């Protein structure tokens, strides 16, 4: 849990991902298109990836990846991010982190 929370709060927008996950890639591209640089942690390439995955599930992620943190706070997975975007709530949330 400590490593996950440290990684999640080190940068403004953090995506926990797996290198083969197309939804993770789509979220990263969405953030790029919105002018936000996200930090991506590929948990399948991390020696502690299984523990990170279990911790994400305990935090309430329906699927372990992608797990998106904004400002150190868990936003959720693809469904939550896309719902926020479609309802107009994502851009205001990301405004402080746009370049």
């Amino acid at each position: 849990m400590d490593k996950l929370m440290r990684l999640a709060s080190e940068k403004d927008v953090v995506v926990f991902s797996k290198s083969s996950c197309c939804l993770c890639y789509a979220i990263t591209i969405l953030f790029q298109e919105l002018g936000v640089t996200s930090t991506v942690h590929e948990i399948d390439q991390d020696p502690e990836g299984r523990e990170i995955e279990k911790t994400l599930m305990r935090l309430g992620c329906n699927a372990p990846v992608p797990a998106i943190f904004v400002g150190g706070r868990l936003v959720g997975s693809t469904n939550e991010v896309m719902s926020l975007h479609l309802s107009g709530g994502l851009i205001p949330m990301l405004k402080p982190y746009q370049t």
Side-chain angles (χ1 to χ4, degrees):
M1 177 77 109
D2 291 339
K3 179 178 181 174
L4 172 73
M5 296 316 290
R6 180 179 46 79
L7 291 172
S9 61
E10 282 181 344
K11 301 290 183 183
D12 297 329
V13 179
V14 177
V15 178
F16 288 91
S17 173
K18 287 187 179 179
S19 52
S20 61
C21 175
C22 61
L23 292 175
C24 299
Y25 178 74
I27 291 294
T28 303
I29 295 301
L30 172 65
F31 287 145
Q32 286 176 1
E33 289 177 358
L34 295 176
V36 174
T37 302
S38 60
T39 300
V40 178
H41 293 286
E42 302 285 355
I43 66 172
D44 58 335
Q45 297 175 8
D46 187 316
E48 297 176 54
R50 292 299 248 177
E51 276 306 309
I52 292 172
E53 190 171 335
K54 289 177 189 174
T55 302
L56 289 167
M57 296 295 281
R58 281 194 300 264
L59 287 174
C61 291
N62 294 332
V65 294
I68 298 93
F69 287 77
V70 175
R73 196 187 96 219
L74 176 64
V75 174
S77 193
T78 308
N79 287 344
E80 290 81 11
V81 169
M82 293 311 291
S83 292
L84 272 170
H85 189 44
L86 293 172
S87 69
L90 184 62
I91 292 174
M93 178 187 291
L94 296 175
K95 192 95 170 141
Y97 312 112
Q98 289 176 320
T99 55

